[in-house]
Amino acid sequence: MNFSLPSDVLNIISRLESRGYRADVVGGPVRDFLLGKTPSDYDITTSALPGEVKAVFSDIKTVDTGIKHGTVSLIIGGEQYEVTTYRVDGEYKDSRHPECVTFTDRLELDLSRRDFTVNAMAYSPRWGLTDVFDGKRDLDNRIIRTVGEPELRFTEDALRILRGVRFASVLGFSVEKKTADAIHTLAPSLGRVSAERIFTELKKLFGGISAYRTLLEFGDVIATVIPELSHLVLPDEERFISADFYTRMLSLFALSVKSRPDEAFSAAMHRLKSDNPTRRLGTAVLSELSKHTLDTPASAARLLSVLGERGALEYLKLETLLSRFGAKEEAVLTLAIEKKLPYRICDLRVGGEDIASLGIVGKEIGDVLASLLEAVISGEVPNDRAPLLKFAEKLKAENRI
Ligand code: ATP
Ligand code: MG
């Protein structure tokens, strides 16, 4: 086996080796490499203690972010490499954090604290693959299995429950029977995990290549972290697979929550400490569910006026995933956006001053502009100065404002 490691990683490993320590790439990058994927980052595990790592790299910028847990980050060429001393975790008291961590000089012990066999392999050019828990076998068979007893490992750290489901979804793996049983049994303990960590995992889970299959099998786990989705209803599988994580998530609320999916989504996002734009956009889109057609320029302008461009595009994606919209609707909306169809007050070719010059004052100016926009959107009046002013005068004359 020959991993092509980036030169910075090779340098880090060989520098530690030249000072008598051992260093290996570990976890995610080894897994990804064996799967033929390019790793997104490279974590390194070493027998050197944190102070020793810093001494070896005294000429390089280091950051002590995780030093209590043995992690020194090296900043090389703008990239960050985490170098972590072999460690074993102490007793877990709160289903999440070990009471203390102890450094060790044995790589096997460091690998044994890791969550899943496929995440518990190490590799270095000198020592090749270190795989004491048959991670390679599980990877070849596409299986997620805990290192050691699943119940114990999930009791130590409940986040692993959701990580297991996430890896199954993202890698398209199945979960080994005992591991899956423990996930189902212990899912309620996810209540002790922080909202931020849960949401990070959920986003990856919903976006996974096997999310559909995984949701079918682990709907109970989703229900523990999003009770609003307790009666999970999934959309058409093919359409689900071709959607992105966000539209997938919205579709689950649209189908599973019978009354006010928008409010349910908002409450769930609030609890999961989602960022505001994510929460607001989805809430607005869900509140318009089934209310629009997209068959004429006017209907496109109306949708745009309610949701804005981003919202309208998200609405299109959602209704498409729900099989209500298709290529025709997409064409209508795309054209409306391309042609810059007017849908906001500021798109009108007249402004407040023009209306004021007709002798209209105060709040009524806004009302007239809103009526003009409505008339433009519905196609009643073209968006040009003269007809707009004429229409405004008519409104005034007929006392319709
Ligand atoms: P990703 O591609 O999402 O980064 P990863 O496997 O690199 O996947 P990280 O969260 O970056 O995941 O963690 C790095 C490694 O640390 C994992 O591969 C695993 O060995 C170990 N690990 C991370 N979280 C836990 C945990 N909660 N319990 C045990 N081991 C963990
Ligand atoms: Mg990682």
mmCIF file of all heavy atoms in Angstrom, residues 234-264:
data_model
loop_
_atom_site.group_PDB
_atom_site.id
_atom_site.type_symbol
_atom_site.label_atom_id
_atom_site.label_comp_id
_atom_site.label_asym_id
_atom_site.label_seq_id
_atom_site.Cartn_x
_atom_site.Cartn_y
_atom_site.Cartn_z
ATOM 1 N N LEU A 234 -40.954 10.076 4.108
ATOM 2 C CA LEU A 234 -39.909 10.400 3.138
ATOM 3 C C LEU A 234 -40.522 10.626 1.755
ATOM 4 O O LEU A 234 -41.507 9.986 1.400
ATOM 5 C CB LEU A 234 -38.898 9.248 3.059
ATOM 6 C CG LEU A 234 -38.054 9.014 4.311
ATOM 7 C CD1 LEU A 234 -37.153 7.801 4.128
ATOM 8 C CD2 LEU A 234 -37.201 10.226 4.612
ATOM 9 N N PRO A 235 -39.920 11.541 0.985
ATOM 10 C CA PRO A 235 -40.439 11.776 -0.378
ATOM 11 C C PRO A 235 -39.963 10.700 -1.354
ATOM 12 O O PRO A 235 -39.348 9.710 -0.940
ATOM 13 C CB PRO A 235 -39.846 13.139 -0.728
ATOM 14 C CG PRO A 235 -38.632 13.274 0.102
ATOM 15 C CD PRO A 235 -38.783 12.394 1.310
ATOM 16 N N ASP A 236 -40.211 10.930 -2.617
ATOM 17 C CA ASP A 236 -39.753 10.035 -3.676
ATOM 18 C C ASP A 236 -38.225 9.875 -3.600
ATOM 19 O O ASP A 236 -37.503 10.869 -3.522
ATOM 20 C CB ASP A 236 -40.155 10.637 -5.029
ATOM 21 C CG ASP A 236 -39.571 9.875 -6.184
ATOM 22 O OD1 ASP A 236 -40.047 8.755 -6.427
ATOM 23 O OD2 ASP A 236 -38.613 10.380 -6.817
ATOM 24 N N GLU A 237 -37.774 8.643 -3.610
ATOM 25 C CA GLU A 237 -36.351 8.380 -3.368
ATOM 26 C C GLU A 237 -35.440 9.033 -4.415
ATOM 27 O O GLU A 237 -34.443 9.666 -4.064
ATOM 28 C CB GLU A 237 -36.105 6.867 -3.321
ATOM 29 C CG GLU A 237 -34.661 6.527 -2.982
ATOM 30 C CD GLU A 237 -34.444 5.056 -2.700
ATOM 31 O OE1 GLU A 237 -35.425 4.284 -2.769
ATOM 32 O OE2 GLU A 237 -33.293 4.693 -2.408
ATOM 33 N N GLU A 238 -35.798 8.885 -5.681
ATOM 34 C CA GLU A 238 -34.929 9.421 -6.732
ATOM 35 C C GLU A 238 -34.778 10.940 -6.625
ATOM 36 O O GLU A 238 -33.690 11.486 -6.768
ATOM 37 C CB GLU A 238 -35.526 9.091 -8.090
ATOM 38 C CG GLU A 238 -34.618 8.231 -8.935
ATOM 39 C CD GLU A 238 -35.317 7.814 -10.209
ATOM 40 O OE1 GLU A 238 -35.435 8.665 -11.094
ATOM 41 O OE2 GLU A 238 -35.772 6.647 -10.275
ATOM 42 N N ARG A 239 -35.910 11.598 -6.386
ATOM 43 C CA ARG A 239 -35.865 13.055 -6.273
ATOM 44 C C ARG A 239 -35.087 13.467 -5.022
ATOM 45 O O ARG A 239 -34.369 14.459 -5.016
ATOM 46 C CB ARG A 239 -37.278 13.630 -6.223
ATOM 47 C CG ARG A 239 -37.945 13.577 -7.583
ATOM 48 C CD ARG A 239 -39.310 14.195 -7.539
ATOM 49 N NE ARG A 239 -39.964 14.090 -8.833
ATOM 50 C CZ ARG A 239 -40.311 15.127 -9.584
ATOM 51 N NH1 ARG A 239 -40.086 16.351 -9.166
ATOM 52 N NH2 ARG A 239 -40.898 14.959 -10.738
ATOM 53 N N PHE A 240 -35.252 12.704 -3.951
ATOM 54 C CA PHE A 240 -34.536 12.988 -2.710
ATOM 55 C C PHE A 240 -33.032 12.906 -2.948
ATOM 56 O O PHE A 240 -32.274 13.792 -2.542
ATOM 57 C CB PHE A 240 -34.958 11.984 -1.630
ATOM 58 C CG PHE A 240 -34.408 12.274 -0.267
ATOM 59 C CD1 PHE A 240 -35.037 13.194 0.563
ATOM 60 C CD2 PHE A 240 -33.277 11.631 0.211
ATOM 61 C CE1 PHE A 240 -34.547 13.469 1.834
ATOM 62 C CE2 PHE A 240 -32.774 11.895 1.487
ATOM 63 C CZ PHE A 240 -33.419 12.818 2.295
ATOM 64 N N ILE A 241 -32.618 11.874 -3.635
ATOM 65 C CA ILE A 241 -31.184 11.651 -3.847
ATOM 66 C C ILE A 241 -30.559 12.789 -4.645
ATOM 67 O O ILE A 241 -29.434 13.199 -4.385
ATOM 68 C CB ILE A 241 -30.958 10.272 -4.527
ATOM 69 C CG1 ILE A 241 -31.232 9.162 -3.496
ATOM 70 C CG2 ILE A 241 -29.549 10.149 -5.092
ATOM 71 C CD1 ILE A 241 -31.248 7.774 -4.047
ATOM 72 N N SER A 242 -31.312 13.331 -5.607
ATOM 73 C CA SER A 242 -30.674 14.385 -6.413
ATOM 74 C C SER A 242 -30.774 15.777 -5.780
ATOM 75 O O SER A 242 -30.270 16.745 -6.347
ATOM 76 C CB SER A 242 -31.218 14.390 -7.847
ATOM 77 O OG SER A 242 -32.611 14.282 -7.836
ATOM 78 N N ALA A 243 -31.379 15.887 -4.592
ATOM 79 C CA ALA A 243 -31.475 17.198 -3.927
ATOM 80 C C ALA A 243 -30.301 17.414 -2.973
ATOM 81 O O ALA A 243 -29.617 16.466 -2.595
ATOM 82 C CB ALA A 243 -32.794 17.284 -3.166
ATOM 83 N N ASP A 244 -30.094 18.685 -2.592
ATOM 84 C CA ASP A 244 -29.025 18.964 -1.625
ATOM 85 C C ASP A 244 -29.548 18.806 -0.186
ATOM 86 O O ASP A 244 -30.743 18.619 0.025
ATOM 87 C CB ASP A 244 -28.432 20.359 -1.840
ATOM 88 C CG ASP A 244 -29.494 21.446 -1.763
ATOM 89 O OD1 ASP A 244 -30.408 21.335 -0.913
ATOM 90 O OD2 ASP A 244 -29.427 22.407 -2.547
ATOM 91 N N PHE A 245 -28.649 18.914 0.771
ATOM 92 C CA PHE A 245 -29.019 18.605 2.154
ATOM 93 C C PHE A 245 -30.147 19.508 2.661
ATOM 94 O O PHE A 245 -31.043 19.067 3.374
ATOM 95 C CB PHE A 245 -27.789 18.667 3.075
ATOM 96 C CG PHE A 245 -27.716 19.910 3.921
ATOM 97 C CD1 PHE A 245 -28.355 19.961 5.152
ATOM 98 C CD2 PHE A 245 -27.026 21.034 3.481
ATOM 99 C CE1 PHE A 245 -28.303 21.112 5.928
ATOM 100 C CE2 PHE A 245 -26.972 22.176 4.241
ATOM 101 C CZ PHE A 245 -27.614 22.218 5.474
ATOM 102 N N TYR A 246 -30.114 20.759 2.257
ATOM 103 C CA TYR A 246 -31.081 21.733 2.799
ATOM 104 C C TYR A 246 -32.487 21.439 2.277
ATOM 105 O O TYR A 246 -33.450 21.391 3.046
ATOM 106 C CB TYR A 246 -30.629 23.137 2.395
ATOM 107 C CG TYR A 246 -31.356 24.242 3.111
ATOM 108 C CD1 TYR A 246 -31.188 24.428 4.475
ATOM 109 C CD2 TYR A 246 -32.201 25.092 2.422
ATOM 110 C CE1 TYR A 246 -31.845 25.454 5.136
ATOM 111 C CE2 TYR A 246 -32.865 26.123 3.074
ATOM 112 C CZ TYR A 246 -32.686 26.287 4.437
ATOM 113 O OH TYR A 246 -33.336 27.302 5.084
ATOM 114 N N THR A 247 -32.594 21.230 0.981
ATOM 115 C CA THR A 247 -33.899 20.915 0.398
ATOM 116 C C THR A 247 -34.416 19.581 0.946
ATOM 117 O O THR A 247 -35.596 19.425 1.231
ATOM 118 C CB THR A 247 -33.790 20.861 -1.142
ATOM 119 O OG1 THR A 247 -33.114 22.025 -1.579
ATOM 120 C CG2 THR A 247 -35.163 20.817 -1.783
ATOM 121 N N ARG A 248 -33.501 18.634 1.119
ATOM 122 C CA ARG A 248 -33.895 17.353 1.715
ATOM 123 C C ARG A 248 -34.503 17.574 3.089
ATOM 124 O O ARG A 248 -35.547 17.020 3.436
ATOM 125 C CB ARG A 248 -32.670 16.442 1.858
ATOM 126 C CG ARG A 248 -32.152 15.886 0.557
ATOM 127 C CD ARG A 248 -30.880 15.108 0.815
ATOM 128 N NE ARG A 248 -30.372 14.474 -0.380
ATOM 129 C CZ ARG A 248 -29.330 13.652 -0.401
ATOM 130 N NH1 ARG A 248 -28.683 13.383 0.720
ATOM 131 N NH2 ARG A 248 -28.932 13.108 -1.519
ATOM 132 N N MET A 249 -33.826 18.414 3.878
ATOM 133 C CA MET A 249 -34.289 18.660 5.249
ATOM 134 C C MET A 249 -35.674 19.319 5.222
ATOM 135 O O MET A 249 -36.575 18.926 5.955
ATOM 136 C CB MET A 249 -33.255 19.545 5.941
ATOM 137 C CG MET A 249 -33.441 19.679 7.429
ATOM 138 S SD MET A 249 -31.957 20.353 8.207
ATOM 139 C CE MET A 249 -31.931 22.009 7.593
ATOM 140 N N LEU A 250 -35.835 20.309 4.351
ATOM 141 C CA LEU A 250 -37.136 20.983 4.264
ATOM 142 C C LEU A 250 -38.224 20.000 3.849
ATOM 143 O O LEU A 250 -39.352 20.039 4.353
ATOM 144 C CB LEU A 250 -37.078 22.142 3.264
ATOM 145 C CG LEU A 250 -36.196 23.332 3.641
ATOM 146 C CD1 LEU A 250 -36.315 24.430 2.593
ATOM 147 C CD2 LEU A 250 -36.557 23.888 5.017
ATOM 148 N N SER A 251 -37.889 19.099 2.934
ATOM 149 C CA SER A 251 -38.907 18.149 2.450
ATOM 150 C C SER A 251 -39.390 17.246 3.582
ATOM 151 O O SER A 251 -40.559 16.874 3.630
ATOM 152 C CB SER A 251 -38.368 17.313 1.289
ATOM 153 O OG SER A 251 -37.477 16.315 1.763
ATOM 154 N N LEU A 252 -38.493 16.925 4.493
ATOM 155 C CA LEU A 252 -38.895 16.068 5.615
ATOM 156 C C LEU A 252 -39.910 16.794 6.501
ATOM 157 O O LEU A 252 -40.879 16.201 6.966
ATOM 158 C CB LEU A 252 -37.678 15.647 6.445
ATOM 159 C CG LEU A 252 -36.624 14.837 5.696
ATOM 160 C CD1 LEU A 252 -35.473 14.471 6.624
ATOM 161 C CD2 LEU A 252 -37.229 13.578 5.095
ATOM 162 N N PHE A 253 -39.687 18.080 6.726
ATOM 163 C CA PHE A 253 -40.659 18.861 7.508
ATOM 164 C C PHE A 253 -41.962 18.994 6.730
ATOM 165 O O PHE A 253 -43.055 18.856 7.287
ATOM 166 C CB PHE A 253 -40.098 20.244 7.865
ATOM 167 C CG PHE A 253 -39.141 20.206 9.017
ATOM 168 C CD1 PHE A 253 -37.804 19.895 8.828
ATOM 169 C CD2 PHE A 253 -39.578 20.440 10.315
ATOM 170 C CE1 PHE A 253 -36.915 19.827 9.885
ATOM 171 C CE2 PHE A 253 -38.700 20.379 11.393
ATOM 172 C CZ PHE A 253 -37.366 20.073 11.172
ATOM 173 N N ALA A 254 -41.850 19.257 5.420
ATOM 174 C CA ALA A 254 -43.060 19.456 4.596
ATOM 175 C C ALA A 254 -43.954 18.225 4.644
ATOM 176 O O ALA A 254 -45.178 18.338 4.718
ATOM 177 C CB ALA A 254 -42.653 19.764 3.161
ATOM 178 N N LEU A 255 -43.337 17.049 4.620
ATOM 179 C CA LEU A 255 -44.147 15.829 4.542
ATOM 180 C C LEU A 255 -44.512 15.245 5.907
ATOM 181 O O LEU A 255 -45.558 14.636 6.064
ATOM 182 C CB LEU A 255 -43.392 14.759 3.739
ATOM 183 C CG LEU A 255 -43.220 15.053 2.253
ATOM 184 C CD1 LEU A 255 -42.335 14.003 1.596
ATOM 185 C CD2 LEU A 255 -44.579 15.103 1.554
ATOM 186 N N SER A 256 -43.638 15.439 6.885
ATOM 187 C CA SER A 256 -43.846 14.752 8.161
ATOM 188 C C SER A 256 -44.685 15.553 9.142
ATOM 189 O O SER A 256 -45.273 14.988 10.056
ATOM 190 C CB SER A 256 -42.497 14.434 8.823
ATOM 191 O OG SER A 256 -41.620 13.842 7.904
ATOM 192 N N VAL A 257 -44.693 16.881 8.974
ATOM 193 C CA VAL A 257 -45.426 17.710 9.941
ATOM 194 C C VAL A 257 -46.745 18.133 9.299
ATOM 195 O O VAL A 257 -46.759 18.862 8.305
ATOM 196 C CB VAL A 257 -44.601 18.961 10.327
ATOM 197 C CG1 VAL A 257 -45.351 19.770 11.380
ATOM 198 C CG2 VAL A 257 -43.225 18.565 10.826
ATOM 199 N N LYS A 258 -47.812 17.631 9.842
ATOM 200 C CA LYS A 258 -49.110 17.846 9.195
ATOM 201 C C LYS A 258 -49.590 19.290 9.323
ATOM 202 O O LYS A 258 -50.150 19.847 8.395
ATOM 203 C CB LYS A 258 -50.160 16.885 9.793
ATOM 204 C CG LYS A 258 -49.889 15.437 9.438
ATOM 205 C CD LYS A 258 -50.257 15.128 7.972
ATOM 206 C CE LYS A 258 -49.658 13.829 7.487
ATOM 207 N NZ LYS A 258 -48.347 13.937 6.850
ATOM 208 N N SER A 259 -49.363 19.893 10.499
ATOM 209 C CA SER A 259 -49.862 21.258 10.655
ATOM 210 C C SER A 259 -48.711 22.213 10.917
ATOM 211 O O SER A 259 -47.884 21.980 11.797
ATOM 212 C CB SER A 259 -50.891 21.248 11.800
ATOM 213 O OG SER A 259 -50.890 22.474 12.468
ATOM 214 N N ARG A 260 -48.617 23.267 10.153
ATOM 215 C CA ARG A 260 -47.588 24.302 10.261
ATOM 216 C C ARG A 260 -46.150 23.765 10.260
ATOM 217 O O ARG A 260 -45.414 23.939 11.236
ATOM 218 C CB ARG A 260 -47.813 25.166 11.495
ATOM 219 C CG ARG A 260 -49.151 25.890 11.546
ATOM 220 C CD ARG A 260 -49.369 26.783 10.328
ATOM 221 N NE ARG A 260 -48.350 27.794 10.112
ATOM 222 C CZ ARG A 260 -48.501 29.088 10.378
ATOM 223 N NH1 ARG A 260 -49.633 29.512 10.875
ATOM 224 N NH2 ARG A 260 -47.524 29.932 10.124
ATOM 225 N N PRO A 261 -45.748 23.141 9.151
ATOM 226 C CA PRO A 261 -44.347 22.691 9.061
ATOM 227 C C PRO A 261 -43.359 23.846 9.211
ATOM 228 O O PRO A 261 -42.243 23.641 9.684
ATOM 229 C CB PRO A 261 -44.254 22.059 7.673
ATOM 230 C CG PRO A 261 -45.465 22.502 6.934
ATOM 231 C CD PRO A 261 -46.516 22.802 7.942
ATOM 232 N N ASP A 262 -43.782 25.049 8.837
ATOM 233 C CA ASP A 262 -42.878 26.197 8.953
ATOM 234 C C ASP A 262 -42.545 26.474 10.414
ATOM 235 O O ASP A 262 -41.389 26.687 10.780
ATOM 236 C CB ASP A 262 -43.485 27.442 8.284
ATOM 237 C CG ASP A 262 -44.865 27.792 8.803
ATOM 238 O OD1 ASP A 262 -45.575 26.891 9.304
ATOM 239 O OD2 ASP A 262 -45.252 28.977 8.729
ATOM 240 N N GLU A 263 -43.577 26.432 11.258
ATOM 241 C CA GLU A 263 -43.337 26.683 12.690
ATOM 242 C C GLU A 263 -42.505 25.566 13.310
ATOM 243 O O GLU A 263 -41.633 25.812 14.151
ATOM 244 C CB GLU A 263 -44.671 26.818 13.432
ATOM 245 C CG GLU A 263 -45.331 28.160 13.146
ATOM 246 C CD GLU A 263 -46.708 28.285 13.778
ATOM 247 O OE1 GLU A 263 -47.138 27.364 14.507
ATOM 248 O OE2 GLU A 263 -47.354 29.316 13.517
ATOM 249 N N ALA A 264 -42.779 24.330 12.875
ATOM 250 C CA ALA A 264 -42.011 23.197 13.406
ATOM 251 C C ALA A 264 -40.543 23.342 13.011
ATOM 252 O O ALA A 264 -39.640 23.131 13.833
ATOM 253 C CB ALA A 264 -42.586 21.885 12.869
#
